[in-house]
Amino acid sequence: MHRVRPLPNYLVQRYHGWKATGYADNKAWYRRLASDGQHPRAMVIACCDSRVNVISIFGADQGEFFIHRNIANLVPPFQPDGDHHGTSAAVEYAVQVLKVSNLMVLGHSGCGGIQGCIDMCKGHAPELEDKGSFVGRWMDILRPRFESVRDIADDKEQAREMEKQAVVTSLQNLMTFPWIEEKVNAGELTLHGLWNDIGEGSLENYSPESGAFHPV
Amino acid sequence: MHRVRPLPNYLVQRYHGWKATGYADNKAWYRRLASDGQHPRAMVIACCDSRVNVISIFGADQGEFFIHRNIANLVPPFQPDGDHHGTSAAVEYAVQVLKVSNLMVLGHSGCGGIQGCIDMCKGHAPELEDKGSFVGRWMDILRPRFESVRDIADDKEQAREMEKQAVVTSLQNLMTFPWIEEKVNAGELTLHGLWNDIGEGSLENYSPESGAFHPV
Amino acid sequence: MHRVRPLPNYLVQRYHGWKATGYADNKAWYRRLASDGQHPRAMVIACCDSRVNVISIFGADQGEFFIHRNIANLVPPFQPDGDHHGTSAAVEYAVQVLKVSNLMVLGHSGCGGIQGCIDMCKGHAPELEDKGSFVGRWMDILRPRFESVRDIADDKEQAREMEKQAVVTSLQNLMTFPWIEEKVNAGELTLHGLWNDIGEGSLENYSPESGAFHPV
Amino acid sequence: MHRVRPLPNYLVQRYHGWKATGYADNKAWYRRLASDGQHPRAMVIACCDSRVNVISIFGADQGEFFIHRNIANLVPPFQPDGDHHGTSAAVEYAVQVLKVSNLMVLGHSGCGGIQGCIDMCKGHAPELEDKGSFVGRWMDILRPRFESVRDIADDKEQAREMEKQAVVTSLQNLMTFPWIEEKVNAGELTLHGLWNDIGEGSLENYSPESGAFHPV
């Protein structure tokens, strides 16, 4: 582990700046969060993409959202096989331990993972087909959905539709977890599917009635 | 999917507020992010905990950090077996596609996942031992480290040490990915281990020379 | 060219120190900057004054800001006459090639160029009136603004007001460039006027609504 | 001027962080700089490129260097025609008013302005030939030098040589200013030509004896 390096200096300086302002001004809240534990109302499952805005788009502060971020905001189906399942573990902790009331899946425009999945489905990304490609194997979760967007001629439109299919897939997979289905049916948990256009700042909400996404 | 509900109204209102202010004031940047794609300098692997402050602690804005968040900021070892590995996929995308220069693992005080792991190791959490416990199976990644903290009498001190062991474990597991080891050795990627005390706002940095964490 | 001399030794020593530390610790980032090119979010137009702090005042690191520095942070009006226009070339490169999202003009207290302009306007600096005075001819850009500060009795107050007029003049001249006006109107570029008090560390932001500068 | 927008929030936060730390810790020095004026030892002429490291590469702090930054660190020849000459004004102020002892021209690898000049000279950039192209007309300063690099077959090698020719051109043009030649001959001012490889962190110094650049 001799390859671990000092933290870049600009981050050290920015951290000290935050400590003297953002922390100092909110010390009471941070101390309360430390002593009282977290009581988030909602869980958000979003993409790792650096452009995705989970916090400020909803005016949230520390303590409000339990946030899991992975490639393409995907939830795999319920599979209690004893292996490491990071996403399922995060969902379990939020729903079973923290008992969040709302669970939001937040997709976004221009998702690189989704584009990779489309390329793979079209046969344009052999490297993602490789067994050793973690991104490729992760995107396998979404792969069956390609059929529903295959005929969309416009590339950008096809990508957007696939991004929305990823949100719907995650919602459907969440319902395969028995304790989620139970809580949803008991009115103790609500699921929400969202898609954000990064450039336009728009937000669309999935409606199961219409089967489509509508502006919030 | 009839259980999907409308977005809670307080979030709808906050979103519209952000759209009219935070988005409107930074539209130029959001449009550039959309048209130019993301070029993040660093990846951060942090916990899902709602109290963890990944963005503002470093004065970062949209576009700066590629962020993966899971329970206890754990990275499993390299295991290219064709299964879904969400964390490995996120790391692969950041390092191989986005070519980030810095990869930071950020642990924190009062981590519920870590406490669960300790309870499980002490035999106090049989429910986490269950094969069907996703949290338990996820925390198995950290389990071998319990030996190194078993003899710490003070519970809080023991938890802190285990939280730091989680960061070190992730750093070590990251080095089992051949393309990470290669890039680290080539000077194209640096790894950093951090631990944040939520209540105190302090930040400690792992030093492989001393094998300990030191205040930034 | 026999008058070119070796680099002063203190700079050679400091450079080698930086190479072994600041560079070594951030080699991954510098290599990425070299291979991936620059993607700065913002352009800053600031004064050459050695006391002006463009980088650390905003916690910025290499790669973040495209920086043009000239005497008194002035932008001349759009004048496509085929001559060498260094400031206009810098602005054109930032806006048209790099497509920066934000353009900040940063003025400062105690500006020697501004003081020279005031002296010249008051008839106290005949040497600056000379056709051969590059500083005098450069400050001609700001000269018409003297009318608006002529009646301020206090010298220091008058200088500060003139320094702020220089920022506003630059903003107005920037809007005479057709491709800047177009991008600003299309929401692809925002302009910002700032003034920094060097001794107090304060920062003021120009508000076109009030026509005045307000503390950030 | 209704298009001037509020400063992006991340910059406001970072500024307040700096004010509470970087400024607070150095208030004595900032106050002295404000009351005593600037007394820089050297002037640096560098490129606007966001990757160029003028300050930290030399371990410099506020007050040390008078810094002019333009596209490709070019100095035009002495031309006292009464027009606005921003670079000449900056040089005049540094040499005649501040009486700096050292004047460094700092070039760098991967310079976009230089590449544009090469493209223009090769007939590959008609848009830069346009009278209205400020970048093209600015790079005209360097254009005659293309003859000396025309026969270099390797594109990267050709660009590096042209970047170094830009430094030498600026040094030669500086000597056409009579008050610079006078001070250089009187031993009151030294000129230095430098070239920095951004990715490697190396620094080369122009030697008029050999007519080449050598590692510092």
Side-chain angles (χ1 to χ4, degrees):
Chain A
M1 292 302 292
H2 287 288
R3 294 82 158 212
V4 175
R5 308 290 300 188
L7 196 64
N9 196 46
Y10 81 107
L11 292 179
V12 173
Q13 290 186 5
R14 287 190 195 169
Y15 159 70
H16 285 296
W18 170 81
K19 180 85 189 295
T21 54
Y23 171 75
D25 293 343
N26 295 286
K27 188 160 68 170
W29 178 235
Y30 287 114
R31 294 222 168 147
R32 155 89 178 280
L33 282 174
S35 61
D36 197 32
Q38 62 173 332
H39 300 277
R41 170 170 175 172
M43 177 184 194
V44 182
I45 298 175
C47 185
C48 300
D49 192 305
S50 64
R51 302 168 297 176
V52 172
N53 200 327
V54 185
I55 298 290
S56 55
I57 199 174
F58 286 129
D61 199 15
Q62 260 54 53
E64 285 197 66
F65 294 155
F66 185 81
I67 301 171
H68 173 60
R69 295 179 70 169
N70 64 30
I71 298 287
N73 36 273
L74 287 176
V75 178
F78 181 68
Q79 199 178 349
D81 55 10
D83 282 347
H84 307 320
H85 291 287
T87 296
S88 301
V91 171
E92 182 183 281
Y93 194 86
V95 173
Q96 299 284 66
V97 179
L98 299 174
K99 302 185 194 312
V100 297
S101 301
N102 312 118
L103 202 169
M104 296 176 274
V105 178
L106 173 61
H108 70 99
S109 63
C111 183
I114 301 287
Q115 190 56 54
C117 185
I118 292 174
D119 292 344
M120 187 167 65
C121 293
K122 288 182 172 174
H124 300 161
E127 72 285 5
L128 290 174
E129 301 278 6
D130 192 272
K131 191 189 170 193
S133 166
F134 293 111
V135 172
R137 301 297 60 72
W138 181 248
M139 296 311 302
D140 282 346
I141 298 172
L142 183 60
R143 212 161 173 176
R145 292 286 178 152
F146 182 64
E147 285 316 307
S148 68
V149 307
R150 184 188 290 277
D151 295 339
I152 301 176
D154 181 73
D155 283 350
K156 190 176 170 187
E157 191 48 48
Q158 188 181 45
R160 298 201 157 205
E161 187 53 32
M162 193 68 162
E163 286 156 7
K164 292 175 181 177
Q165 289 294 324
V167 173
V168 176
T169 296
S170 291
L171 290 173
Q172 290 177 344
N173 286 345
L174 282 168
M175 289 299 282
T176 65
F177 289 70
W179 28 268
I180 289 190
E181 190 189 27
E182 189 185 307
K183 281 183 186 279
V184 166
N185 288 338
E188 294 171 2
L189 175 67
T190 61
L191 304 184
H192 309 274
L194 299 164
W195 178 85
N196 170 229
D197 184 311
I198 286 174
E200 297 305 314
S202 59
L203 187 66
E204 299 186 10
N205 191 19
Y206 176 63
S207 161
E209 284 76 22
S210 70
F213 284 72
H214 304 286
V216 163
Chain B
M1 291 302 293
H2 287 289
R3 293 84 157 211
V4 174
R5 309 288 299 184
L7 197 63
N9 198 44
Y10 81 109
L11 293 179
V12 173
Q13 292 186 4
R14 287 190 195 168
Y15 160 69
H16 285 296
W18 170 81
K19 182 82 191 293
T21 54
Y23 171 76
D25 292 342
N26 294 284
K27 187 164 69 171
W29 177 234
Y30 288 115
R31 292 216 171 152
R32 156 88 178 275
L33 282 175
S35 62
D36 196 35
Q38 61 174 331
H39 300 276
R41 171 172 176 168
M43 176 184 195
V44 182
I45 297 175
C47 185
C48 300
D49 193 305
S50 63
R51 302 167 296 175
V52 172
N53 201 328
V54 185
I55 298 290
S56 55
I57 201 174
F58 287 129
D61 200 19
Q62 259 53 55
E64 285 197 66
F65 294 155
F66 186 81
I67 300 171
H68 173 59
R69 294 178 70 169
N70 63 31
I71 299 287
N73 36 274
L74 287 176
V75 177
F78 180 69
Q79 199 179 347
D81 55 10
D83 282 347
H84 307 320
H85 291 287
T87 296
S88 301
V91 171
E92 181 182 283
Y93 195 85
V95 172
Q96 298 283 68
V97 178
L98 298 175
K99 300 184 195 312
V100 296
S101 300
N102 312 117
L103 202 169
M104 296 176 273
V105 177
L106 173 62
H108 69 98
S109 63
C111 182
I114 301 286
Q115 189 55 55
C117 185
I118 292 174
D119 293 344
M120 187 167 65
C121 292
K122 287 181 172 175
H124 300 161
E127 74 282 7
L128 289 174
E129 300 279 6
D130 192 273
K131 190 187 171 194
S133 167
F134 293 112
V135 173
R137 300 297 63 70
W138 181 249
M139 296 311 303
D140 282 347
I141 297 171
L142 184 60
R143 214 163 170 173
R145 291 286 177 152
F146 182 64
E147 286 315 307
S148 68
V149 307
R150 184 187 289 278
D151 295 338
I152 301 176
D154 182 73
D155 282 351
K156 190 176 170 188
E157 191 47 47
Q158 188 181 45
R160 298 202 158 205
E161 186 53 32
M162 195 67 161
E163 287 156 7
K164 292 175 181 177
Q165 288 294 323
V167 173
V168 176
T169 296
S170 291
L171 292 174
Q172 290 177 344
N173 285 345
L174 282 168
M175 288 298 283
T176 64
F177 289 71
W179 27 268
I180 288 190
E181 190 191 24
E182 189 185 307
K183 281 182 187 279
V184 166
N185 289 338
E188 292 170 4
L189 176 67
T190 60
L191 305 184
H192 309 273
L194 298 164
W195 179 84
N196 169 231
D197 184 309
I198 287 173
E200 297 304 314
S202 59
L203 187 67
E204 299 186 9
N205 192 19
Y206 176 63
S207 161
E209 281 78 22
S210 69
F213 284 72
H214 304 286
V216 163
Chain C
M1 290 301 294
H2 288 287
R3 292 85 158 211
V4 174
R5 309 289 299 185
L7 197 62
N9 198 44
Y10 82 107
L11 292 179
V12 172
Q13 292 186 3
R14 287 190 194 170
Y15 159 70
H16 285 296
W18 170 82
K19 182 83 190 294
T21 55
Y23 171 76
D25 292 342
N26 295 284
K27 187 164 68 170
W29 178 234
Y30 287 115
R31 291 217 172 150
R32 156 90 177 276
L33 282 175
S35 62
D36 196 36
Q38 61 175 331
H39 300 275
R41 171 171 177 170
M43 177 183 194
V44 182
I45 298 175
C47 185
C48 300
D49 192 305
S50 63
R51 301 166 297 175
V52 172
N53 201 328
V54 184
I55 298 289
S56 54
I57 199 174
F58 286 129
D61 200 21
Q62 260 55 53
E64 285 198 64
F65 295 154
F66 186 81
I67 301 171
H68 173 59
R69 294 179 70 168
N70 64 30
I71 298 287
N73 37 272
L74 288 175
V75 177
F78 180 68
Q79 200 178 348
D81 56 9
D83 281 348
H84 308 320
H85 291 286
T87 296
S88 301
V91 170
E92 182 183 282
Y93 194 84
V95 172
Q96 299 283 66
V97 179
L98 299 175
K99 300 184 196 312
V100 296
S101 300
N102 312 118
L103 202 169
M104 296 176 273
V105 177
L106 172 62
H108 70 99
S109 63
C111 182
I114 301 287
Q115 190 56 55
C117 184
I118 292 174
D119 293 345
M120 186 166 66
C121 291
K122 287 181 171 173
H124 301 161
E127 74 284 5
L128 289 174
E129 301 278 6
D130 191 272
K131 190 188 171 194
S133 166
F134 293 111
V135 173
R137 300 297 62 68
W138 180 249
M139 296 311 302
D140 282 347
I141 297 171
L142 183 61
R143 211 161 174 176
R145 290 284 177 153
F146 182 65
E147 285 315 308
S148 67
V149 307
R150 182 187 292 277
D151 295 339
I152 301 175
D154 181 74
D155 283 350
K156 190 177 170 188
E157 191 48 47
Q158 188 181 44
R160 298 202 157 205
E161 186 54 32
M162 195 68 163
E163 287 157 6
K164 292 176 181 177
Q165 289 294 323
V167 172
V168 176
T169 297
S170 291
L171 290 173
Q172 290 178 344
N173 285 346
L174 282 167
M175 288 299 282
T176 65
F177 288 70
W179 27 268
I180 288 191
E181 190 191 25
E182 190 185 306
K183 281 183 186 277
V184 166
N185 288 339
E188 294 170 3
L189 175 68
T190 61
L191 305 185
H192 308 273
L194 298 164
W195 179 84
N196 169 230
D197 184 310
I198 286 172
E200 297 305 315
S202 59
L203 188 66
E204 299 185 10
N205 192 20
Y206 176 63
S207 161
E209 282 77 22
S210 69
F213 284 72
H214 304 286
V216 164
Chain D
M1 292 302 293
H2 287 287
R3 294 84 157 213
V4 175
R5 308 288 303 188
L7 196 63
N9 197 46
Y10 80 108
L11 292 180
V12 173
Q13 290 186 6
R14 287 191 196 167
Y15 159 70
H16 285 295
W18 170 81
K19 181 81 190 295
T21 53
Y23 171 75
D25 294 342
N26 295 284
K27 189 161 68 171
W29 177 234
Y30 287 115
R31 292 223 169 146
R32 155 89 178 280
L33 282 174
S35 62
D36 197 33
Q38 62 175 331
H39 300 277
R41 171 170 173 172
M43 178 185 194
V44 181
I45 298 174
C47 185
C48 299
D49 193 306
S50 64
R51 302 168 296 176
V52 172
N53 202 328
V54 185
I55 298 291
S56 55
I57 200 175
F58 286 129
D61 199 17
Q62 261 51 56
E64 284 197 67
F65 295 155
F66 185 82
I67 301 172
H68 173 59
R69 294 178 69 168
N70 63 31
I71 300 286
N73 37 272
L74 288 175
V75 177
F78 181 68
Q79 197 178 351
D81 55 11
D83 282 346
H84 308 319
H85 291 286
T87 296
S88 301
V91 170
E92 181 182 282
Y93 195 85
V95 173
Q96 299 283 66
V97 179
L98 299 174
K99 302 186 195 309
V100 296
S101 300
N102 313 118
L103 202 170
M104 296 176 274
V105 177
L106 173 62
H108 70 98
S109 62
C111 182
I114 301 285
Q115 189 56 55
C117 184
I118 292 174
D119 292 344
M120 187 167 65
C121 292
K122 287 180 173 175
H124 301 161
E127 73 283 6
L128 290 174
E129 301 278 6
D130 192 272
K131 190 187 169 193
S133 166
F134 293 111
V135 172
R137 299 298 62 68
W138 181 249
M139 296 312 302
D140 282 347
I141 297 171
L142 183 60
R143 212 163 174 173
R145 290 286 177 152
F146 181 64
E147 285 315 308
S148 67
V149 306
R150 184 189 291 277
D151 295 338
I152 302 177
D154 181 74
D155 282 351
K156 190 176 172 189
E157 190 48 47
Q158 187 181 46
R160 298 202 158 206
E161 186 54 32
M162 194 69 161
E163 287 157 8
K164 293 175 181 177
Q165 288 294 323
V167 173
V168 176
T169 297
S170 290
L171 291 173
Q172 290 178 343
N173 286 346
L174 282 168
M175 290 298 283
T176 64
F177 288 71
W179 27 268
I180 288 190
E181 189 189 26
E182 189 185 307
K183 281 183 187 277
V184 167
N185 289 338
E188 294 171 4
L189 174 68
T190 61
L191 304 185
H192 309 274
L194 299 163
W195 178 85
N196 169 230
D197 184 310
I198 286 174
E200 297 305 313
S202 59
L203 188 66
E204 299 185 11
N205 192 19
Y206 175 64
S207 161
E209 283 76 22
S210 69
F213 284 72
H214 304 285
V216 163

